[in-house]
């Protein structure tokens, strides 16, 4: 992982065109593809990886009905890749560190406070939250601001179900999500990589869009710690850092929340952070992406799609200059 010093003095990781680790991973994947030779064999490898990982203490199945309206017809990222290649700075800045270090996170008991501009402030334990609405499996693209992507089957329900239960007042214009802050459980918080706790936010109309998913599982199981257990948000038309993990507080407010990456480097990470191939990051292009698991040395990068391909959200931004409101 390369590091660049931002104007405000915070060390921010960023991708180069290719790093030694990526070269190694690309060669490894290419050799594996040659050895396997077929999609069917690849599926067996993925299943074996899932079963091996599922033996980790705490991993449990999570039942959900597939929602055909949100079942993307693309090859899913291998479970092992999706659970060992992560950005979760609370457990380290290297992609492998969250899987290595997140065993310290205790996800039971766990509660989430709902507060701010609502008629029904409340505190819900994780089990009550999971029973609030029927679970659905949805296959979404995930696009990282760093220029890589995955396809993951998530489990949860539309965030709008929780919003409806809280009954926001007319003053609620934004919704803020706050991650757990606990340096004992999250050793990465001992370093001032970001301002802790991690905070993200959405406009109310974004949060109420059916695509915005309150998420409890993936690949038929509860979320692994390194993927945001026990509850996170998935906002598939935005860069991955908007999909905040391990949530302990949801606050409704009049004012736009001050979010973690926007505070760290506002010129690089805007509040909206919609996937937009026409708006480059100041230090790299966003026009293309490499799909994890398909990034062999001879594999061309994919073209990045506007809103990550979820064009149904376009009306949310009608009349907005998306190069200004990046």
């Amino acid at each position: 992982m390369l590091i660049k010093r931002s104007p405000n003095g915070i060390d921010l990781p960023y991708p180069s065109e290719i790093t030694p680790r990526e070269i190694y991973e690309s060669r490894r994947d290419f050799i594996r593809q040659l050895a396997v030779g077929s999609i069917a064999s690849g599926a067996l490898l993925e299943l074996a990886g899932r079963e091996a990982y599922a033996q980790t203490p705490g991993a449990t199945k999570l039942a959900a009905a597939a929602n055909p309206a949100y079942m993307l017809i693309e090859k899913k990222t291998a479970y092992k890749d999706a659970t060992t290649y992560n950005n979760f700075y609370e457990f380290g800045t290297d992609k492998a560190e969250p899987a290595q270090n997140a065993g310290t996170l205790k996800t039971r008991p766990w509660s989430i406070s709902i507060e701010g501009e609502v008629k029904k402030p409340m505190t819900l334990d994780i089990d009550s939250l999971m029973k609030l609405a029927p679970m659905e499996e949805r296959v979404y693209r995930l696009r990282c601001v760093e220029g890589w992507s995955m396809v993951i089957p998530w489990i949860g329900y539309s965030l709008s179900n929780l919003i409806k239960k809280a009954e926001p007042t007319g003053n609620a214009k934004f919704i803020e999500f706050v991650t757990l802050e606990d340096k004992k459980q999250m050793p990465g918080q001992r370093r001032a990589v970001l301002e802790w706790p991690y905070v993200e936010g959405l406009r109310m109309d974004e949060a109420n869009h059916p695509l915005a998913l309150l998420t409890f599982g993936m690949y038929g199981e509860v979320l692994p710690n390194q993927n945001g257990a026990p509850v996170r948000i998935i906002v598939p038309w935005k860069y991955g850092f908007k999909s905040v993990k391990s949530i302990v507080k949801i606050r409704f407010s009049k004012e736009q929340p001050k979010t973690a990456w926007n505070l760290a480097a506002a010129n690089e990470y805007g509040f909206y952070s919609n996937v937009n191939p026409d708006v480059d990051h100041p230090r790299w292009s966003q026009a293309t992406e490499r799909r994890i698991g398909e990034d062999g040395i001879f594999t061309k990068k994919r073209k990045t799609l506007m809103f990550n391909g979820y064009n149904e959200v376009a009306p949310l931004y009608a009349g907005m200059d998306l190069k200004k409101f990046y």
Side-chain angles (χ1 to χ4, degrees):
M1 173 68 73
L2 301 178
I3 300 292
K4 184 176 181 67
R5 176 79 59 180
S6 73
N8 61 6
I10 297 175
D11 287 336
L12 301 174
Y14 74 103
S16 63
E17 282 301 308
I18 188 165
T19 66
R21 182 184 181 88
E22 289 174 335
I23 293 173
Y24 165 78
E25 290 176 345
S26 294
R27 288 175 177 168
R28 177 203 63 193
D29 292 342
F30 178 62
I31 292 170
R32 182 184 296 165
Q33 290 168 13
L34 289 177
V36 174
S38 70
I39 293 177
S41 298
L44 290 174
L45 282 177
E46 176 180 346
L47 179 60
R50 282 185 59 186
E51 290 304 314
Y53 194 90
Q55 294 171 12
T56 302
T60 59
K61 302 297 181 182
L62 185 59
N67 187 329
Y70 302 105
M71 300 300 287
L72 182 69
I73 308 301
E74 290 187 17
K75 181 182 177 182
K76 299 183 188 71
T77 300
Y79 180 88
K80 183 177 180 181
D81 287 336
T83 55
T84 59
Y85 192 90
N86 307 106
N87 282 329
F88 199 173
Y89 285 7
E90 284 83 347
F91 297 104
T93 56
D94 184 82
K95 295 293 187 292
E97 287 183 313
Q100 296 167 358
N101 299 334
T104 54
L105 180 65
K106 298 178 181 179
T107 60
R108 293 293 191 282
W110 191 279
S111 61
I112 301 91
S113 65
I114 313 297
E115 59 187 53
E117 295 290 344
V118 292
K119 296 178 182 177
K120 294 183 177 179
M122 64 189 81
T123 297
L124 296 171
D125 64 72
I126 186 64
D127 296 308
S128 298
L129 191 64
M130 292 177 73
K131 296 174 183 177
L132 185 64
M135 292 284 183
E136 299 178 357
E137 181 177 68
R138 301 183 182 185
V139 180
Y140 283 165
R141 298 182 191 91
L142 173 69
R143 172 61 155 82
C144 181
V145 71
E146 296 172 341
W148 54 266
S149 63
M150 296 185 181
V151 174
I152 296 177
W154 302 105
I155 297 174
Y157 53 77
S158 288
L159 176 60
S160 59
N161 289 286
L162 177 58
I163 294 173
K164 182 178 180 181
K165 182 177 179 65
E167 296 186 17
T169 71
N171 292 327
K173 307 301 180 186
F174 295 89
I175 183 169
E176 175 182 283
F177 307 95
V178 182
T179 291
L180 175 70
E181 182 177 14
D182 186 328
K183 293 180 176 61
K184 291 183 179 179
Q185 295 190 60
M186 295 177 154
Q189 291 178 339
R190 298 167 193 166
R191 298 176 57 201
V193 179
L194 292 170
E195 184 173 319
W196 309 115
Y198 193 95
V199 174
E200 258 305 338
L202 300 169
R203 285 189 334 208
M204 285 299 300
D205 57 348
E206 295 177 316
N208 271 308
H209 194 280
L211 281 168
L213 191 70
L214 192 62
T215 306
F216 305 91
M218 57 192 292
Y219 296 89
E221 298 173 359
V222 296
L223 286 169
N225 287 3
Q226 64 269 30
N227 290 89
V231 58
R232 64 176 293 174
I233 299 295
I234 297 296
V235 193
W237 70 94
K238 295 179 181 287
Y239 292 120
F241 67 87
K242 294 291 291 186
S243 295
V244 58
K245 305 176 180 77
S246 300
I247 299 169
V248 294
K249 185 179 296 184
I250 298 176
R251 181 185 298 117
F252 294 76
S253 64
K254 300 178 184 178
E255 306 297 330
Q256 180 176 300
K258 296 179 179 179
T259 58
W261 279 105
N262 188 243
L263 285 171
N267 65 316
E268 298 184 3
Y269 307 100
F271 174 78
Y272 285 95
S273 297
N274 290 318
V275 176
N276 188 343
D278 299 322
V279 176
D280 291 336
H281 187 281
R283 290 180 275 121
W284 58 83
S285 170
Q286 295 289 18
T288 60
E289 64 200 63
R290 61 184 182 92
R291 179 66 55 82
I292 300 300
E294 299 177 3
D295 49 354
I297 55 178
F298 300 118
T299 304
K300 292 183 178 179
K301 290 185 176 182
R302 294 169 174 255
K303 290 185 177 179
T304 291
L305 303 174
M306 184 66 194
F307 298 124
N308 206 23
Y310 296 97
N311 293 321
E312 57 264 51
V313 303
L316 296 176
Y317 311 103
M320 291 179 62
D321 182 348
L322 296 184
K323 291 186 176 181
K324 179 181 179 182
F325 298 101
Y326 59 91

